[in-house]
Amino acid sequence: MRLRLTPREDSYYDLFADSANNLVTASRLLVEIISDGSDREALAEKMRACEHTGDERTHAIMNRLNESFITPFDREDIYRLASNLDDVMDYMEAAADLIGLYQIDHLPKEVVRQVEVLERAAELTAEAMPRLRSMSNLNEYWIEINRLENQADQVYRRLLAKLFGGEYDALTVMKMKEVIDQLEMAADAFEHVANTIESIAVKES
């Protein structure tokens, strides 16, 4: 058996792409979960499977990092990017789980906008991952992610105003706020992914 002293760098790109594509799947599950009349229990189970897949991809990246003598870019950046992608998945799964646990039947319509932003951010992130190989044509990606995160902030603030506007009882406010907090943190985590990719591209340019 031949010993490989320089493991293939391509495996990192493939794993990052897999992680990002998994986020697209998760974001689309969220769209279904917040829809009235959906089978939330079954969808939450699919979301947990997504989260498990995301963990496997993250562990695979970390294991590859420990085994590699040569990496395509800084080890710290590989670790940070993998962790950021994992954070997004964790926040989306937590939001889905809370909706089911709290048995929230009807969410404010602004939550739909929150999830739409996450779905678009996931799609853009998945589209950007293959371009890591060449570090080209990434500017528009992180600019658009930052714009989407600003939109997410605005939606989040409107949601808070609605929740505390007297329409809901105190217990419902507490439940819904936990959900929208997780969705807001997912949007922030997408921005962290984009900022990490921007930092990598600057270093490699």
Side-chain angles (χ1 to χ4, degrees):
M1 181 176 173
R2 191 167 143 192
L3 177 66
R4 185 188 295 274
L5 294 178
T6 56
R8 282 177 57 237
E9 295 181 359
D10 285 355
S11 61
Y12 287 105
Y13 299 118
D14 294 338
L15 288 167
F16 283 134
D18 286 346
S19 292
N21 287 328
N22 190 51
L23 295 180
V24 174
T25 301
S27 69
R28 290 173 181 169
L29 284 171
L30 262 181
V31 171
E32 293 186 67
I33 286 169
I34 65 170
S35 300
D36 290 340
S38 63
D39 186 349
R40 287 178 174 165
E41 187 174 342
L43 291 167
E45 188 59 37
K46 289 182 180 180
M47 182 67 87
R48 283 190 286 273
C50 266
E51 197 271 338
H52 181 67
T53 297
D55 283 344
E56 288 181 339
R57 297 293 181 273
T58 303
H59 293 151
I61 292 168
M62 299 309 180
N63 289 337
R64 173 63 67 186
L65 197 56
N66 290 333
E67 296 168 358
S68 298
F69 293 97
I70 296 175
T71 57
F73 40 86
D74 285 353
R75 289 175 173 272
E76 293 79 6
D77 289 328
I78 291 173
Y79 176 84
R80 190 153 57 105
L81 182 54
S83 297
N84 292 157
L85 290 165
D86 190 54
D87 286 345
V88 177
M89 184 67 250
D90 287 346
Y91 293 134
M92 288 199 291
E93 193 274 334
D97 197 35
L98 288 169
I99 290 169
L101 288 173
Y102 289 155
Q103 299 181 331
I104 302 174
D105 294 327
H106 301 290
L107 290 156
K109 66 182 187 328
E110 289 86 356
V111 174
V112 174
R113 183 57 188 143
Q114 261 193 314
V115 174
E116 286 174 348
V117 169
L118 294 181
E119 183 182 22
R120 183 58 185 147
E123 291 168 351
L124 288 170
T125 302
E127 290 168 8
M129 284 301 161
R131 300 200 291 275
L132 275 178
R133 294 175 188 268
S134 61
M135 295 293 173
S136 60
N137 300 318
L138 286 164
N139 297 57
E140 290 184 6
Y141 154 68
W142 60 66
I143 290 171
E144 181 61 12
I145 290 291
N146 288 334
R147 189 189 69 79
L148 285 171
E149 198 278 330
N150 288 335
Q151 278 189 14
D153 284 346
Q154 293 170 5
V155 174
Y156 176 69
R157 288 192 291 268
R158 286 198 296 271
L159 269 165
L160 287 181
K162 184 179 182 68
L163 286 183
F164 292 104
E167 181 179 346
Y168 302 99
D169 63 80
L171 185 58
T172 300
V173 169
M174 290 174 62
K175 291 177 179 179
M176 286 188 180
K177 186 176 184 301
E178 281 199 54
V179 172
I180 69 170
D181 282 350
Q182 294 297 321
L183 295 174
E184 170 66 7
M185 287 189 284
D188 289 342
F190 268 121
E191 186 177 41
H192 296 159
V193 170
N195 290 343
T196 298
I197 290 176
E198 181 180 11
S199 175
I200 293 167
V202 169
K203 288 179 185 177
E204 297 298 313
S205 62

